[in-house]
Amino acid sequence: MNVFICVVLFLVSAAVANKSGDDDWVHLPNKCEVCKFLSVEMKSAFEETGKTKEVIETNYRFLDDKGAPPIKYVKSDIRFIEVMENVCSRIMQYNLHKERDGSNRFAKGMSETFSTLHNLVNKGVKVVMDIPYELWNETSAEVADLKKQCDVMLEQYEEVIEDWYKGSQEEDLTTYLCEKHVLKGQDTGCLKENWAGKKGDMAAITEDKKKKKSKKKKGNDTEDGQKKEKVKKKKKKSKLTDTETSNRKTEDEEIQKKLPLNQDKTEL
């Protein structure tokens, strides 16, 4: 018989709380934080879409009937538009980590608090909260507001971002967009905040695993490619040898069938 321990936790969620004093629990993102995560996700999106070697063929024809030259996708307006349309939607992958300070409270992955609660539930512990279990993983008010402000900021500074995109892109986007334009002459402290992580932090563990996996993949790409090429060559050589052997056997059999057996008659 399972023993259920009732754990009563008086936690108030900003997303569903309707009591007085809720403002103490809800810390909406400021302008610096919005710009920080907008630039972070935009850099990530450009990095992901910049790995392709796809070329866009144009159908334009000039008077001399010569077509316009193809355009590389990484330099195209299509890539820019696609990133702009989807970048703020990526904010919805974030969760609120109330155990962290400043802009570090916004991060992907489950927060340490809710990770602990989920582990308790999985172990058979009955957790009683003001928030229904079904709403534990719902988007918080802070993250929803971060996404909303991201949409507004993106529209306001679209031309600035486009100038960076069509330029050399040598300057870091966070520096170019946030420090030199959005937050010019204002507080930029949040841009320097980095989460070092701590033992047991599930979000930090998840991010570390992703980074290690990515590094391992990059490091093994060349070696794996060489190994695969060698294996392919061996298999190809083996197939050729088998085919040659089979052909020889077939030729020998055909020759034996065509040539009559000349046997001298032996008189007894």
Side-chain angles (χ1 to χ4, degrees), residues 69-123:
I71 303 172
K72 291 183 179 180
Y73 174 77
V74 294
K75 295 288 185 180
S76 68
D77 291 337
I78 295 176
R79 180 191 179 208
F80 176 75
I81 293 170
E82 288 177 347
V83 170
M84 292 290 286
E85 287 180 346
N86 300 306
V87 65
C88 287
S89 298
R90 298 163 68 102
I91 297 293
M92 300 303 289
Q93 299 174 12
Y94 283 70
N95 285 311
L96 186 66
H97 298 243
K98 281 188 174 291
E99 67 275 4
R100 302 182 185 181
D101 297 324
S103 62
N104 290 321
R105 70 187 187 282
F106 295 106
K108 295 179 181 179
M110 188 178 294
S111 69
E112 185 179 352
T113 301
F114 277 100
S115 176
T116 302
L117 293 176
H118 277 290
N119 287 334
L120 289 173
V121 172
N122 293 335
K123 291 178 181 178

Side-chain angles (χ1 to χ4, degrees), residues 44 69 82 85 193 199 204 210 220 261:
S44 179
E82 288 177 347
E85 287 180 346
E193 293 175 351
K199 189 176 181 180
K210 287 182 180 179
N220 293 336
L261 295 174

Side-chain angles (χ1 to χ4, degrees), residues 159-266:
E159 292 183 1
V160 174
I161 299 170
E162 187 175 4
D163 289 340
W164 175 87
Y165 177 76
K166 291 184 175 180
S168 62
Q169 298 184 16
E170 291 181 358
E171 189 171 15
D172 181 70
L173 180 58
T174 302
T175 303
Y176 182 83
L177 175 63
C178 299
E179 292 186 15
K180 293 188 175 181
H181 290 86
V182 178
L183 303 171
K184 189 175 182 180
Q186 302 177 41
D187 181 23
T188 60
C190 80
L191 302 179
K192 299 177 178 64
E193 293 175 351
N194 293 310
W195 178 248
K198 66 178 183 178
K199 189 176 181 180
D201 190 325
M202 295 305 296
I205 292 172
T206 303
E207 288 299 315
D208 287 342
K209 285 182 178 179
K210 287 182 180 179
K211 290 178 181 178
K212 288 179 180 178
K213 187 176 180 181
S214 178
K215 287 181 180 179
K216 186 177 180 181
K217 184 178 179 182
K218 288 180 181 178
N220 293 336
D221 276 347
T222 305
E223 186 178 349
D224 288 343
Q226 293 175 351
K227 287 182 179 179
K228 287 180 181 178
E229 190 65 27
K230 288 181 180 178
V231 171
K232 284 182 181 179
K233 287 181 179 179
K234 286 182 179 179
K235 286 183 178 180
K236 188 175 181 181
K237 187 176 180 181
S238 177
K239 285 181 180 179
L240 288 172
T241 304
D242 292 342
T243 303
E244 289 174 357
T245 304
S246 178
N247 290 337
R248 287 174 184 173
K249 287 182 179 179
T250 304
E251 289 176 0
D252 292 342
E253 290 175 356
E254 290 295 327
I255 292 171
Q256 290 178 4
K257 286 180 181 179
K258 290 180 180 179
L259 294 175
L261 295 174
N262 294 326
Q263 295 181 354
D264 298 333
K265 294 181 180 180
T266 305

